[in-house]
Amino acid sequence: MLGQVYTQVPVGVRFMLLSALGFALMSACVKYVSHYGIPVFEIVAARALVSLVISYLDVKRKRLSPWGNNKSLLLVRGVIGTFALMCVYYSVTTLPLAEATILQYVHPVFTALLGLVLLKERIQTSTIICIVFCLAGLGFMIQPSLNSGIEYELPLFSVMTALLGALGSSVAYVIVRKLSQTEDSSVIIMYFPLIALPVSLLLIWDNFVWPSLYLTLLLVLVGIFTQIGQYGLTKAMQTQAAGKASAYSYIQIVFSALLGVWIFDEIPSIWTFLGGGLIVTGALINVFGHQLLRPFQRG
């Protein structure tokens, strides 16, 4: 019975679900090892090392030059991606998994504004609605932190760091879109750990913590789950319409919330449900807004 249901699910949706699960498991591993005193920069370095080995083998398999054509823009993508990852990992280690994941999905706001400023793109009505919903949702999530009379609150510094991570991811997406015109995807992917590894090792300095064999395995899994997430995302975009495929990526919030409850005993607050619901609704309007607003535009 379950097999019949599984085969009826479109291939692109299956890959996107795989991607969402991979990224959720990656975040859970990051948070778990941080509880044992492993610094964020060390986690970034471990993830970058695994990704660099896998990416380099992929580049060699395709018989490509690992340095690419537009080296300057590839370097910028690597630097911004490294900054964004450090912000995301910090937010994961200092916020509940569900909240940290939800805040990452504010990136449509930044992408739209970057498109307006850098690419002179016109902002669609659906995107404006998305921005309003996302800002309202963000307000619900941080409102308790601004009211000392409410017991539940999120650390504002961690929230701002998560938003910086989302902004960095948006900038990286715009750059990747430009690089895709001249570079192979494997080269673009490889440049990220190529920058992240030396930068994170430099930032660790004398704060390196020797992990146990168990924690070393989890650090390796951070890199492996990341590759699974990226593989699923790439395949989903290749086999399904980008808009429909990306809509299913929001299941990562569900996966992260369940892992947060199961592993870390994190129960999302009512503010998370309200704010997260608005943010996800706004993002989905941004994805499907053209179809939803078409009847009103005709009228």
Side-chain angles (χ1 to χ4, degrees):
M1 181 67 179
L2 290 175
Q4 292 179 344
V5 173
Y6 178 78
T7 55
Q8 291 175 356
V9 177
V11 175
V13 174
R14 288 185 232 163
F15 277 120
M16 186 54 77
L17 294 177
L18 174 67
S19 172
L21 180 60
F23 285 130
L25 289 170
M26 175 209 70
S27 297
C29 288
V30 169
K31 191 175 187 68
Y32 191 87
V33 297
S34 72
H35 283 183
Y36 286 86
I38 305 297
V40 170
F41 296 138
E42 188 171 334
I43 301 172
V44 172
R47 177 251 167 103
L49 178 60
V50 175
S51 297
L52 183 60
V53 171
I54 295 175
S55 300
Y56 178 74
L57 292 175
D58 189 41
V59 168
K60 295 300 289 183
R61 180 183 63 84
K62 293 181 177 180
R63 297 182 179 180
L64 299 170
S65 168
W67 308 115
N69 300 307
N70 193 339
K71 298 178 181 62
S72 58
L73 195 57
L74 284 165
L75 283 171
V76 172
R77 183 265 182 272
V79 170
I80 293 176
T82 298
F83 168 78
L85 182 69
M86 290 176 177
C87 291
V88 169
Y89 276 13
Y90 178 82
S91 67
V92 166
T93 60
T94 56
L95 292 171
L97 270 183
E99 281 83 342
T101 305
I102 288 170
L103 290 171
Q104 293 173 30
Y105 282 95
V106 181
H107 65 77
V109 175
F110 297 122
T111 302
L113 295 177
L114 286 169
L116 175 65
V117 174
L118 300 179
L119 305 178
K120 307 302 180 184
E121 294 177 346
R122 177 176 172 269
I123 297 183
Q124 302 293 325
T125 303
S126 58
T127 304
I128 296 175
I129 296 174
C130 167
I131 292 173
V132 172
F133 270 72
C134 285
L135 292 178
L138 182 61
F140 271 110
M141 289 184 67
I142 67 172
Q143 188 269 342
S145 301
L146 303 177
N147 187 342
S148 58
I150 299 178
E151 293 183 3
Y152 174 84
E153 66 176 42
L154 297 177
L156 283 179
F157 182 78
S158 297
V159 171
M160 297 307 298
T161 303
L163 294 177
L164 279 176
L167 173 60
S169 298
S170 298
V171 175
Y173 292 152
V174 173
I175 295 175
V176 168
R177 193 165 59 184
K178 176 69 175 178
L179 285 170
S180 298
Q181 300 172 7
T182 59
E183 311 293 340
D184 185 89
S185 60
S186 297
V187 175
I188 298 174
I189 292 172
M190 195 195 74
Y191 255 82
F192 165 67
L194 193 64
I195 301 299
L197 183 57
V199 170
S200 56
L201 288 174
L202 183 64
L203 291 173
I204 291 173
W205 200 243
D206 58 349
N207 293 321
F208 180 81
V209 176
W210 280 104
S212 65
L213 181 61
Y214 175 60
L215 292 179
T216 300
L217 175 61
L218 288 176
L219 287 170
V220 172
L221 285 176
V222 169
I224 292 175
F225 285 138
T226 300
Q227 293 298 122
I228 291 174
Q230 290 178 338
Y231 171 78
L233 179 63
T234 302
K235 296 294 290 185
M237 293 301 179
Q238 290 175 346
T239 56
Q240 189 90 0
K244 292 181 180 180
S246 62
Y248 287 95
S249 69
Y250 293 92
I251 197 69
Q252 182 186 342
I253 296 173
V254 178
F255 289 148
S256 294
L258 292 175
L259 288 169
V261 173
W262 178 39
I263 301 175
F264 306 106
D265 294 323
E266 298 172 346
I267 308 299
S269 73
I270 184 63
W271 302 104
T272 297
F273 283 112
L274 290 173
L278 286 171
I279 290 172
V280 172
T281 300
L284 291 176
I285 289 175
N286 188 49
V287 173
F288 297 110
H290 183 69
Q291 296 95 311
L292 293 173
L293 296 176
R294 188 181 299 168
F296 299 98
Q297 291 172 344
R298 287 177 179 174

